[in-house]
Amino acid sequence: MKQSDTKYKKVFEPSPMAEATRERLQEELLNPLTRAGLSKAEAEALLTIWIPELLKPGLRLVYVLPRAEYDRLLPIRFTPQPEELQRVGLVVQEIAP
C-alpha cells in the first residue's frame, strides 16, 4: 500500500540511529496531539503517562487515531449532551520486544 492510499498521516520518521529520549518523544508527539484537538496541558498530561512506557526496550508503532475512527470503534453518549466533546485516541502498538 502506498502512503497516499492510507487515511493515516505519518507523524514523523526517525532516523534509524535515533535514540528515544523523554525530550524527543515529548517534542515529536506534542504537536500531533494538539493538532488533533487536545490543549497543550492535556497533551502534556497524556505524554507524562505514556512516555515511561514508550521508553521501555522494544519497537512500537505510535499514532493518533482519527476522530471518526475513534468514534466508530468506541461510541460514546452523554445525557445531557455536552456543548462540545473532544476525543483524541493515542494508539501504541508493540511491534517487537
Side-chain angles (χ1 to χ4, degrees):
M1 177 187 301
K2 297 185 300 189
Q3 183 173 347
S4 60
D5 294 340
T6 182
K7 61 184 172 185
Y8 302 106
K9 295 179 183 172
K10 188 183 300 182
V11 174
F12 75 100
E13 187 171 337
S15 72
M17 301 303 287
E19 182 179 329
T21 64
R22 178 176 300 280
E23 294 78 21
R24 178 175 162 85
L25 286 171
Q26 182 86 16
E27 179 182 311
E28 296 290 351
L29 294 172
L30 191 62
N31 285 334
L33 290 169
T34 56
R35 281 195 312 265
L38 293 181
S39 69
K40 184 177 180 191
E42 291 167 331
E44 288 173 343
L46 185 142
L47 292 173
T48 296
I49 294 166
W50 275 102
I51 284 178
E53 190 68 28
L54 297 174
L55 289 172
K56 290 181 180 177
L59 181 62
R60 292 166 192 83
L61 173 65
V62 179
Y63 61 95
V64 175
L65 192 64
R67 171 69 188 265
E69 188 69 6
Y70 194 176
D71 289 341
R72 184 185 72 75
L73 292 170
L74 297 167
I76 190 169
R77 294 176 195 230
F78 291 99
T79 304
Q81 283 286 98
E83 289 183 26
E84 182 180 349
L85 175 63
Q86 194 59 259
R87 300 177 81 192
V88 176
L90 181 67
V91 178
V92 179
Q93 183 175 358
E94 187 85 21
I95 296 176

Coordinates of all heavy atoms in Angstrom, one line a residue:
M1 N 0.8 -1.2 0.0 CA 0.0 0.0 0.0 C 0.9 1.2 0.0 O 1.8 1.4 0.8 CB -0.9 0.0 1.2 CG -1.8 1.2 1.3 SD -2.7 1.4 2.9 CE -3.7 -0.1 2.8
K2 N 0.6 2.1 -0.9 CA 1.4 3.4 -1.0 C 0.9 4.3 0.2 O -0.3 4.2 0.6 CB 1.2 4.1 -2.3 CG 1.7 3.3 -3.5 CD 1.6 4.1 -4.7 CE 0.1 4.4 -5.0 NZ -0.2 5.0 -6.3
Q3 N 1.8 5.2 0.6 CA 1.4 6.1 1.7 C 0.2 6.9 1.3 O -0.7 7.2 2.1 CB 2.5 7.0 2.1 CG 2.1 7.9 3.3 CD 3.3 8.6 3.9 OE1 4.4 8.4 3.6 NE2 3.0 9.6 4.7
S4 N 0.1 7.3 0.0 CA -1.1 8.1 -0.4 C -2.4 7.4 -0.4 O -3.4 8.0 -0.4 CB -0.8 8.7 -1.8 OG -0.6 7.6 -2.7
D5 N -2.3 6.0 -0.3 CA -3.5 5.2 -0.3 C -4.1 5.1 1.2 O -5.2 4.6 1.3 CB -3.2 3.8 -0.8 CG -2.9 3.8 -2.2 OD1 -3.2 4.7 -2.9 OD2 -2.3 2.8 -2.7
T6 N -3.4 5.5 2.1 CA -3.9 5.4 3.5 C -4.5 6.7 4.0 O -4.1 7.7 3.6 CB -2.7 4.9 4.4 OG1 -3.2 4.7 5.7 CG2 -1.6 5.9 4.5
K7 N -5.4 6.5 5.0 CA -6.0 7.7 5.6 C -5.2 8.2 6.7 O -5.6 9.3 7.3 CB -7.5 7.4 6.0 CG -7.6 6.3 7.0 CD -9.0 6.0 7.3 CE -9.2 4.8 8.2 NZ -10.5 4.4 8.4
Y8 N -4.2 7.5 7.1 CA -3.4 8.0 8.3 C -2.2 8.8 7.8 O -1.6 8.4 6.7 CB -2.9 6.8 9.1 CG -4.0 5.9 9.6 CD1 -4.3 4.7 9.0 CD2 -4.8 6.4 10.6 CE1 -5.4 4.0 9.5 CE2 -5.9 5.7 11.1 CZ -6.2 4.4 10.5 OH -7.2 3.7 11.0
K9 N -1.8 9.8 8.5 CA -0.7 10.6 8.1 C 0.5 10.3 9.0 O 0.4 10.0 10.2 CB -1.0 12.1 8.3 CG -2.1 12.5 7.4 CD -2.4 14.0 7.6 CE -3.6 14.4 6.7 NZ -4.0 15.7 7.0
K10 N 1.7 10.3 8.4 CA 2.9 10.0 9.1 C 3.2 11.2 10.0 O 3.2 12.3 9.6 CB 4.1 9.8 8.1 CG 5.4 9.4 8.8 CD 6.5 9.3 7.8 CE 6.2 8.3 6.7 NZ 7.3 8.1 5.8
V11 N 3.4 10.9 11.3 CA 3.7 11.9 12.3 C 5.1 12.4 12.2 O 5.4 13.6 12.1 CB 3.4 11.5 13.7 CG1 3.8 12.5 14.7 CG2 1.9 11.1 13.8
F12 N 6.1 11.5 12.2 CA 7.5 11.8 12.0 C 8.2 10.5 11.6 O 7.7 9.4 11.8 CB 8.1 12.4 13.2 CG 8.4 11.4 14.3 CD1 9.6 10.9 14.6 CD2 7.3 11.0 15.2 CE1 9.9 10.1 15.6 CE2 7.6 10.2 16.2 CZ 8.8 9.7 16.4
E13 N 9.3 10.6 11.0 CA 10.1 9.5 10.6 C 11.5 9.6 11.2 O 12.3 10.4 10.8 CB 10.2 9.4 9.1 CG 10.9 8.1 8.6 CD 10.8 8.0 7.1 OE1 10.0 8.6 6.5 OE2 11.7 7.3 6.6
P14 N 11.7 8.9 12.3 CA 13.0 9.0 13.0 C 14.1 8.4 12.1 O 13.9 7.5 11.3 CB 12.8 8.2 14.3 CG 11.8 7.2 13.9 CD 10.9 7.9 12.9
S15 N 15.3 8.8 12.4 CA 16.5 8.2 11.7 C 16.7 6.9 12.3 O 16.3 6.7 13.5 CB 17.7 9.1 11.8 OG 18.2 9.1 13.2
P16 N 17.2 5.9 11.6 CA 17.5 4.6 12.2 C 18.3 4.6 13.4 O 18.2 3.7 14.3 CB 18.2 3.8 11.1 CG 17.9 4.6 9.8 CD 17.7 6.0 10.3
M17 N 19.2 5.6 13.6 CA 20.1 5.6 14.7 C 19.5 6.5 15.9 O 20.2 6.7 16.9 CB 21.4 6.2 14.3 CG 22.1 5.3 13.2 SD 22.3 3.6 13.7 CE 23.6 3.7 14.9
A18 N 18.3 7.1 15.7 CA 17.8 8.0 16.7 C 17.5 7.2 18.0 O 16.9 6.2 18.0 CB 16.5 8.7 16.2
E19 N 17.9 7.8 19.1 CA 17.7 7.2 20.4 C 16.5 7.9 21.0 O 16.4 9.1 21.0 CB 18.9 7.4 21.3 CG 18.7 6.7 22.7 CD 19.9 6.9 23.6 OE1 21.0 6.9 23.1 OE2 19.7 6.9 24.8
A20 N 15.5 7.1 21.4 CA 14.3 7.7 22.1 C 14.7 8.3 23.4 O 15.3 7.6 24.2 CB 13.2 6.6 22.2
T21 N 14.4 9.5 23.6 CA 14.6 10.2 24.9 C 13.3 10.8 25.3 O 12.4 11.0 24.4 CB 15.6 11.3 24.8 OG1 15.2 12.3 23.9 CG2 17.0 10.7 24.4
R22 N 13.1 11.1 26.5 CA 11.9 11.7 27.0 C 11.6 13.0 26.3 O 10.5 13.3 25.8 CB 12.0 12.0 28.5 CG 10.8 12.7 29.2 CD 11.0 12.8 30.7 NE 11.1 11.5 31.3 CZ 10.1 10.7 31.6 NH1 8.9 11.1 31.4 NH2 10.3 9.5 32.2
E23 N 12.7 13.8 26.1 CA 12.6 15.1 25.4 C 12.2 14.9 24.0 O 11.3 15.7 23.5 CB 13.9 15.9 25.6 CG 14.2 16.3 27.0 CD 14.9 15.2 27.8 OE1 15.4 14.2 27.2 OE2 14.8 15.3 29.0
R24 N 12.8 14.0 23.3 CA 12.5 13.8 21.9 C 11.0 13.3 21.7 O 10.3 13.8 20.8 CB 13.4 12.8 21.3 CG 13.1 12.5 19.8 CD 14.2 11.6 19.2 NE 13.7 11.0 18.0 CZ 13.8 11.6 16.8 NH1 14.3 12.8 16.7 NH2 13.3 11.0 15.7
L25 N 10.6 12.4 22.5 CA 9.2 11.9 22.4 C 8.2 13.0 22.7 O 7.2 13.2 22.0 CB 9.0 10.7 23.4 CG 9.6 9.4 22.9 CD1 9.5 8.4 24.1 CD2 9.0 8.9 21.7
Q26 N 8.5 13.8 23.7 CA 7.6 14.9 24.1 C 7.6 15.9 22.9 O 6.5 16.3 22.5 CB 8.2 15.7 25.3 CG 7.4 16.8 25.8 CD 6.3 16.4 26.7 OE1 6.3 15.3 27.3 NE2 5.3 17.3 26.9
E27 N 8.7 16.2 22.3 CA 8.8 17.1 21.2 C 8.0 16.6 19.9 O 7.3 17.3 19.3 CB 10.2 17.4 20.8 CG 10.5 18.3 19.7 CD 11.9 18.4 19.4 OE1 12.7 18.6 20.3 OE2 12.3 18.2 18.2
E28 N 8.2 15.3 19.6 CA 7.6 14.7 18.4 C 6.1 14.4 18.5 O 5.4 14.4 17.5 CB 8.4 13.4 18.1 CG 9.8 13.5 17.7 CD 10.1 14.2 16.4 OE1 9.1 14.4 15.6 OE2 11.2 14.5 16.1
L29 N 5.6 14.2 19.7 CA 4.2 13.8 19.9 C 3.3 14.9 20.3 O 2.1 14.9 20.1 CB 4.1 12.6 20.9 CG 4.7 11.3 20.4 CD1 4.7 10.3 21.5 CD2 4.0 10.8 19.2
L30 N 3.9 16.0 20.9 CA 3.1 17.1 21.4 C 2.3 17.8 20.3 O 1.0 17.9 20.4 CB 4.0 18.1 22.1 CG 3.2 19.2 22.9 CD1 2.4 18.6 24.0 CD2 4.2 20.2 23.5
N31 N 2.9 18.1 19.1 CA 2.2 18.8 18.1 C 1.1 17.9 17.4 O 0.0 18.4 17.2 CB 3.2 19.3 17.0 CG 3.9 20.5 17.4 OD1 3.5 21.3 18.3 ND2 5.1 20.7 16.9
P32 N 1.3 16.7 17.1 CA 0.2 15.9 16.6 C -1.0 15.8 17.5 O -2.2 15.8 17.1 CB 0.8 14.5 16.3 CG 2.3 14.7 16.2 CD 2.6 15.9 17.1
L33 N -0.7 15.7 18.8 CA -1.8 15.6 19.8 C -2.6 16.9 19.9 O -3.8 16.9 20.0 CB -1.3 15.2 21.2 CG -0.8 13.8 21.3 CD1 -0.1 13.5 22.6 CD2 -2.0 12.8 21.1
T34 N -1.9 18.1 19.9 CA -2.6 19.4 19.9 C -3.3 19.6 18.6 O -4.4 20.2 18.6 CB -1.6 20.5 20.3 OG1 -0.6 20.6 19.3 CG2 -1.1 20.4 21.7
R35 N -2.7 19.2 17.5 CA -3.4 19.4 16.2 C -4.7 18.5 16.2 O -5.7 18.9 15.5 CB -2.5 19.0 15.0 CG -1.5 20.0 14.6 CD -0.9 19.7 13.3 NE -0.4 18.4 13.1 CZ 0.8 18.0 13.3 NH1 1.7 18.8 13.7 NH2 1.2 16.7 13.1
A36 N -4.7 17.4 16.9 CA -5.9 16.5 16.9 C -7.0 17.1 17.8 O -8.1 16.6 17.8 CB -5.5 15.1 17.4
G37 N -6.6 18.1 18.6 CA -7.7 18.7 19.4 C -7.4 18.9 20.9 O -8.2 19.5 21.6
L38 N -6.3 18.3 21.4 CA -6.0 18.4 22.9 C -5.4 19.8 23.1 O -4.7 20.3 22.2 CB -5.1 17.3 23.3 CG -5.6 15.9 23.3 CD1 -4.5 15.0 23.9 CD2 -6.8 15.8 24.2
S39 N -5.6 20.3 24.3 CA -4.9 21.5 24.7 C -3.4 21.1 25.0 O -3.2 19.9 25.1 CB -5.5 22.2 25.9 OG -5.3 21.3 27.0
K40 N -2.5 22.1 25.0 CA -1.1 21.7 25.3 C -1.0 21.0 26.7 O -0.3 20.1 26.8 CB -0.3 23.0 25.3 CG 1.2 22.7 25.5 CD 2.1 23.9 25.4 CE 3.5 23.5 25.6 NZ 4.4 24.7 25.8
A41 N -1.8 21.5 27.7 CA -1.8 20.9 29.0 C -2.3 19.5 29.0 O -1.7 18.6 29.6 CB -2.6 21.8 30.0
E42 N -3.3 19.2 28.2 CA -3.9 17.9 28.1 C -2.9 17.0 27.4 O -2.7 15.8 27.8 CB -5.2 17.9 27.3 CG -6.3 18.6 28.1 CD -7.5 18.9 27.2 OE1 -7.4 19.1 25.9 OE2 -8.7 18.9 27.7
A43 N -2.3 17.4 26.3 CA -1.3 16.6 25.6 C -0.1 16.3 26.5 O 0.4 15.2 26.5 CB -0.9 17.3 24.3
E44 N 0.4 17.3 27.2 CA 1.5 17.1 28.1 C 1.1 16.0 29.2 O 1.9 15.2 29.6 CB 2.0 18.4 28.8 CG 2.7 19.3 27.8 CD 3.0 20.6 28.3 OE1 2.4 21.1 29.3 OE2 3.9 21.3 27.7
A45 N -0.1 16.1 29.7 CA -0.5 15.2 30.8 C -0.6 13.7 30.2 O -0.1 12.8 30.8 CB -1.9 15.6 31.3
L46 N -1.1 13.6 29.0 CA -1.2 12.3 28.3 C 0.2 11.7 28.1 O 0.5 10.6 28.4 CB -1.9 12.4 27.0 CG -2.2 11.1 26.3 CD1 -3.6 11.2 25.6 CD2 -1.1 10.8 25.2
L47 N 1.1 12.6 27.7 CA 2.5 12.1 27.4 C 3.2 11.8 28.7 O 4.1 10.9 28.8 CB 3.3 13.2 26.6 CG 2.8 13.3 25.2 CD1 3.5 14.5 24.5 CD2 3.0 12.1 24.4
T48 N 2.9 12.5 29.8 CA 3.5 12.2 31.1 C 3.2 10.7 31.5 O 4.0 10.0 32.1 CB 3.0 13.2 32.2 OG1 3.4 14.5 31.9 CG2 3.5 12.8 33.6
I49 N 2.0 10.3 31.2 CA 1.6 8.9 31.5 C 2.2 7.9 30.5 O 2.7 6.9 30.9 CB 0.0 8.8 31.4 CG1 -0.6 9.6 32.5 CG2 -0.4 7.4 31.4 CD1 -2.1 9.9 32.3
W50 N 2.3 8.2 29.2 CA 2.7 7.3 28.2 C 4.2 7.2 28.0 O 4.7 6.2 27.6 CB 2.0 7.5 26.9 CG 0.7 6.8 26.9 CD1 -0.5 7.4 27.1 CD2 0.4 5.5 26.7 NE1 -1.5 6.5 27.0 CE2 -0.9 5.3 26.8 CE3 1.3 4.4 26.5 CZ2 -1.5 4.0 26.6 CZ3 0.7 3.1 26.3 CH2 -0.7 2.9 26.4
I51 N 4.9 8.3 28.1 CA 6.4 8.3 27.8 C 7.2 7.2 28.5 O 8.0 6.6 27.9 CB 7.0 9.7 27.9 CG1 6.5 10.5 26.7 CG2 8.5 9.7 28.0 CD1 7.0 12.0 26.7
P52 N 7.0 7.0 29.8 CA 7.7 6.0 30.5 C 7.5 4.6 29.8 O 8.5 3.8 29.7 CB 7.2 5.9 31.9 CG 6.7 7.4 32.1 CD 6.1 7.8 30.8
E53 N 6.3 4.3 29.4 CA 6.1 3.0 28.7 C 6.8 3.0 27.3 O 7.3 2.0 26.9 CB 4.5 2.9 28.5 CG 4.1 1.5 28.0 CD 4.4 0.4 29.0 OE1 4.4 0.7 30.2 OE2 4.6 -0.7 28.6
L54 N 6.8 4.1 26.6 CA 7.4 4.2 25.3 C 8.9 4.1 25.4 O 9.5 3.7 24.4 CB 7.0 5.5 24.6 CG 5.5 5.7 24.3 CD1 5.2 7.1 23.7 CD2 5.0 4.6 23.4
L55 N 9.5 4.4 26.5 CA 10.9 4.4 26.6 C 11.5 3.0 27.0 O 12.7 2.8 27.0 CB 11.4 5.4 27.7 CG 11.3 6.9 27.3 CD1 11.6 7.8 28.4 CD2 12.2 7.2 26.1
K56 N 10.6 2.1 27.3 CA 11.0 0.7 27.6 C 11.6 0.1 26.4 O 11.2 0.5 25.3 CB 9.8 -0.1 28.1 CG 9.3 0.3 29.5 CD 8.2 -0.5 30.0 CE 7.7 -0.1 31.4 NZ 6.6 -0.9 31.8
P57 N 12.5 -0.9 26.5 CA 13.0 -1.6 25.3 C 11.9 -2.2 24.4 O 10.9 -2.6 24.9 CB 13.9 -2.7 25.9 CG 14.2 -2.2 27.3 CD 13.0 -1.4 27.8
G58 N 12.2 -2.1 23.1 CA 11.2 -2.7 22.2 C 10.9 -1.7 21.1 O 11.4 -0.5 21.1
L59 N 10.2 -2.1 20.1 CA 9.8 -1.3 19.0 C 8.3 -1.1 19.0 O 7.6 -2.1 19.1 CB 10.3 -2.0 17.7 CG 10.0 -1.2 16.4 CD1 10.7 0.1 16.3 CD2 10.4 -2.1 15.2
R60 N 7.8 0.1 18.9 CA 6.4 0.4 19.0 C 6.0 1.3 17.8 O 6.7 2.2 17.4 CB 6.1 1.1 20.3 CG 6.2 0.2 21.5 CD 6.2 0.9 22.8 NE 6.6 0.0 23.8 CZ 7.9 -0.2 24.1 NH1 8.8 0.4 23.5 NH2 8.2 -1.0 25.1
L61 N 4.8 1.1 17.4 CA 4.1 2.0 16.4 C 3.2 2.9 17.3 O 2.4 2.4 18.1 CB 3.3 1.2 15.4 CG 2.4 2.0 14.5 CD1 3.3 2.8 13.6 CD2 1.5 1.0 13.7
V62 N 3.3 4.2 17.1 CA 2.6 5.2 17.8 C 1.9 6.1 16.9 O 2.5 6.7 16.0 CB 3.5 6.0 18.8 CG1 2.6 7.0 19.6 CG2 4.2 5.1 19.7
Y63 N 0.6 6.3 17.0 CA -0.1 7.2 16.1 C -1.4 7.7 16.7 O -1.9 7.1 17.7 CB -0.4 6.6 14.7 CG -1.3 5.3 14.7 CD1 -2.7 5.4 14.5 CD2 -0.8 4.1 14.9 CE1 -3.5 4.3 14.6 CE2 -1.6 2.9 14.9 CZ -2.9 3.1 14.7 OH -3.7 1.9 14.8
V64 N -1.9 8.8 16.2 CA -3.1 9.4 16.7 C -4.2 8.8 15.8 O -4.2 8.9 14.6 CB -3.1 10.9 16.6 CG1 -4.4 11.5 17.0 CG2 -2.0 11.5 17.5
L65 N -5.2 8.2 16.5 CA -6.4 7.7 15.8 C -7.3 8.8 15.3 O -7.7 9.7 16.1 CB -7.1 6.8 16.8 CG -8.2 5.8 16.2 CD1 -7.6 4.8 15.2 CD2 -8.9 5.1 17.3
P66 N -7.6 8.8 14.0 CA -8.5 9.8 13.5 C -9.9 9.8 14.3 O -10.4 8.7 14.7 CB -8.8 9.4 12.0 CG -7.6 8.6 11.7 CD -7.2 7.9 13.0
R67 N -10.4 11.0 14.5 CA -11.6 11.1 15.3 C -12.8 10.2 14.8 O -13.4 9.6 15.6 CB -12.0 12.6 15.4 CG -13.4 12.9 16.0 CD -13.4 12.6 17.5 NE -14.7 12.7 18.1 CZ -15.2 13.8 18.6 NH1 -14.6 14.9 18.7 NH2 -16.4 13.7 19.1
A68 N -13.0 10.2 13.6 CA -14.1 9.4 13.0 C -13.9 7.9 13.3 O -14.9 7.2 13.7 CB -14.3 9.6 11.5
E69 N -12.7 7.4 13.2 CA -12.4 6.0 13.5 C -12.5 5.8 15.0 O -13.1 4.7 15.5 CB -11.0 5.7 13.1 CG -10.6 4.3 13.2 CD -11.3 3.4 12.1 OE1 -12.1 3.9 11.3 OE2 -11.2 2.2 12.2
Y70 N -12.1 6.7 15.9 CA -12.2 6.6 17.3 C -13.7 6.5 17.7 O -14.1 5.6 18.5 CB -11.6 7.8 18.0 CG -11.3 7.7 19.5 CD1 -10.7 8.7 20.1 CD2 -11.7 6.6 20.2 CE1 -10.4 8.7 21.5 CE2 -11.5 6.5 21.6 CZ -10.9 7.6 22.2 OH -10.6 7.5 23.6
D71 N -14.5 7.4 17.1 CA -16.0 7.4 17.4 C -16.6 6.1 16.9 O -17.6 5.5 17.6 CB -16.7 8.6 16.7 CG -16.3 9.9 17.4 OD1 -15.9 9.8 18.6 OD2 -16.5 10.9 16.8
R72 N -16.2 5.5 15.8 CA -16.7 4.3 15.3 C -16.4 3.1 16.2 O -17.2 2.3 16.5 CB -16.2 4.0 13.9 CG -16.8 2.8 13.2 CD -16.2 2.5 11.9 NE -14.9 2.0 12.0 CZ -14.5 0.7 12.3 NH1 -15.5 -0.1 12.7 NH2 -13.3 0.4 12.4
L73 N -15.1 3.1 16.6 CA -14.7 2.0 17.5 C -15.2 2.0 18.9 O -15.5 1.0 19.5 CB -13.1 1.9 17.5 CG -12.5 1.5 16.2 CD1 -11.0 1.8 16.3 CD2 -12.7 0.1 15.8
L74 N -15.3 3.2 19.4 CA -15.7 3.4 20.8 C -16.7 4.5 20.9 O -16.5 5.6 21.3 CB -14.5 3.8 21.7 CG -13.4 2.8 21.8 CD1 -12.1 3.4 22.4 CD2 -13.8 1.6 22.6
P75 N -18.0 4.2 20.5 CA -19.0 5.2 20.6 C -19.3 5.7 22.0 O -19.1 4.9 23.0 CB -20.2 4.5 20.0 CG -19.9 3.1 19.9 CD -18.4 2.9 20.0
I76 N -19.7 6.9 22.2 CA -19.9 7.4 23.5 C -21.2 8.3 23.4 O -21.4 9.0 22.4 CB -18.7 8.2 24.0 CG1 -18.8 8.6 25.4 CG2 -18.4 9.5 23.1 CD1 -17.5 9.2 26.0
R77 N -22.0 8.2 24.5 CA -23.2 9.0 24.6 C -23.3 9.6 26.0 O -22.9 9.0 27.0 CB -24.4 8.2 24.3 CG -24.5 7.6 22.9 CD -25.7 6.7 22.8 NE -25.5 6.0 21.6 CZ -26.4 5.9 20.7 NH1 -27.6 6.4 20.8 NH2 -26.2 5.2 19.6
F78 N -23.8 10.9 26.0 CA -24.0 11.6 27.3 C -25.4 12.1 27.4 O -26.0 12.5 26.3 CB -23.0 12.8 27.4 CG -21.6 12.4 27.5 CD1 -20.7 12.4 26.5 CD2 -21.1 12.1 28.8 CE1 -19.4 12.1 26.6 CE2 -19.7 11.8 28.9 CZ -18.9 11.8 27.8
T79 N -25.9 12.1 28.6 CA -27.2 12.8 28.8 C -27.0 13.7 30.0 O -26.7 13.1 31.1 CB -28.3 11.8 29.1 OG1 -28.4 10.9 27.9 CG2 -29.6 12.4 29.2
P80 N -27.1 14.9 29.9 CA -27.4 15.7 28.7 C -26.2 15.8 27.8 O -25.1 15.6 28.2 CB -27.8 17.1 29.2 CG -27.1 17.2 30.5 CD -27.0 15.8 31.1
Q81 N -26.4 16.1 26.5 CA -25.3 16.2 25.6 C -24.4 17.4 25.9 O -24.9 18.5 26.2 CB -25.9 16.5 24.1 CG -26.4 15.2 23.5 CD -25.3 14.3 23.0 OE1 -25.0 13.4 23.7 NE2 -24.8 14.6 21.9
P82 N -23.1 17.2 25.9 CA -22.2 18.4 26.2 C -22.3 19.3 25.0 O -22.6 18.9 23.8 CB -20.9 17.7 26.3 CG -21.0 16.4 25.6 CD -22.4 16.0 25.7
E83 N -21.9 20.5 25.2 CA -21.9 21.5 24.1 C -20.8 21.1 23.2 O -20.9 21.3 22.0 CB -21.7 22.9 24.6 CG -22.9 23.5 25.3 CD -22.7 24.9 25.8 OE1 -21.9 25.6 25.2 OE2 -23.4 25.3 26.8
E84 N -19.7 20.6 23.7 CA -18.5 20.2 22.9 C -17.9 19.0 23.5 O -17.8 18.8 24.7 CB -17.5 21.4 22.9 CG -16.3 21.1 22.0 CD -15.3 22.2 22.0 OE1 -15.6 23.3 22.5 OE2 -14.2 22.0 21.5
L85 N -17.5 18.1 22.6 CA -16.8 16.9 23.0 C -15.5 16.7 22.2 O -15.6 16.6 20.9 CB -17.7 15.6 22.9 CG -17.1 14.3 23.1 CD1 -16.6 14.2 24.6 CD2 -18.0 13.2 22.8
Q86 N -14.4 16.6 22.8 CA -13.1 16.5 22.1 C -12.6 15.1 22.5 O -12.4 14.9 23.7 CB -12.2 17.6 22.4 CG -11.0 17.7 21.5 CD -11.3 17.9 20.1 OE1 -11.3 17.0 19.3 NE2 -11.7 19.1 19.8
R87 N -12.3 14.2 21.5 CA -11.8 12.9 21.8 C -10.5 12.7 20.9 O -10.5 13.0 19.7 CB -12.8 11.8 21.4 CG -14.0 11.9 22.2 CD -15.0 10.8 21.8 NE -14.6 9.6 22.4 CZ -15.2 8.4 22.0 NH1 -16.0 8.3 21.0 NH2 -14.8 7.3 22.7
V88 N -9.5 12.3 21.6 CA -8.2 12.0 20.8 C -7.7 10.7 21.3 O -7.5 10.5 22.5 CB -7.2 13.1 21.1 CG1 -5.9 12.8 20.4 CG2 -7.7 14.5 20.6
G89 N -7.5 9.8 20.4 CA -7.0 8.5 20.7 C -5.5 8.3 20.3 O -5.2 8.5 19.1
L90 N -4.7 8.0 21.3 CA -3.3 7.7 21.0 C -3.2 6.2 21.0 O -3.4 5.5 22.0 CB -2.4 8.3 22.1 CG -0.9 8.1 21.9 CD1 -0.4 8.9 20.7 CD2 -0.2 8.6 23.1
V91 N -2.7 5.7 19.9 CA -2.6 4.2 19.8 C -1.1 3.9 19.9 O -0.3 4.4 19.2 CB -3.1 3.7 18.4 CG1 -2.9 2.2 18.2 CG2 -4.6 4.1 18.3
V92 N -0.8 2.9 20.8 CA 0.5 2.4 21.0 C 0.5 0.9 20.7 O -0.2 0.2 21.5 CB 1.1 2.7 22.4 CG1 2.5 2.2 22.6 CG2 1.0 4.2 22.6
Q93 N 1.2 0.5 19.7 CA 1.2 -1.0 19.4 C 2.6 -1.5 19.4 O 3.5 -1.0 18.7 CB 0.6 -1.2 18.0 CG 0.4 -2.6 17.6 CD -0.3 -2.8 16.3 OE1 -0.7 -1.9 15.7 NE2 -0.4 -4.0 15.9
E94 N 2.8 -2.5 20.2 CA 4.1 -3.2 20.3 C 4.3 -4.0 19.0 O 3.5 -4.7 18.6 CB 4.1 -4.2 21.5 CG 5.4 -4.8 21.8 CD 6.2 -3.9 22.7 OE1 5.7 -3.0 23.4 OE2 7.5 -4.1 22.7
I95 N 5.5 -3.7 18.4 CA 5.8 -4.4 17.2 C 6.8 -5.5 17.5 O 6.8 -6.6 16.9 CB 6.4 -3.4 16.2 CG1 5.3 -2.5 15.8 CG2 6.9 -4.2 14.9 CD1 5.7 -1.4 14.8
A96 N 7.8 -5.2 18.3 CA 8.8 -6.2 18.7 C 9.3 -6.0 20.1 O 9.4 -4.8 20.5 CB 10.0 -6.1 17.7
P97 N 9.6 -7.0 20.8 CA 10.1 -6.9 22.2 C 11.5 -6.3 22.2 O 12.2 -6.2 21.3 CB 10.1 -8.3 22.8 CG 10.0 -9.2 21.6 CD 9.5 -8.4 20.5

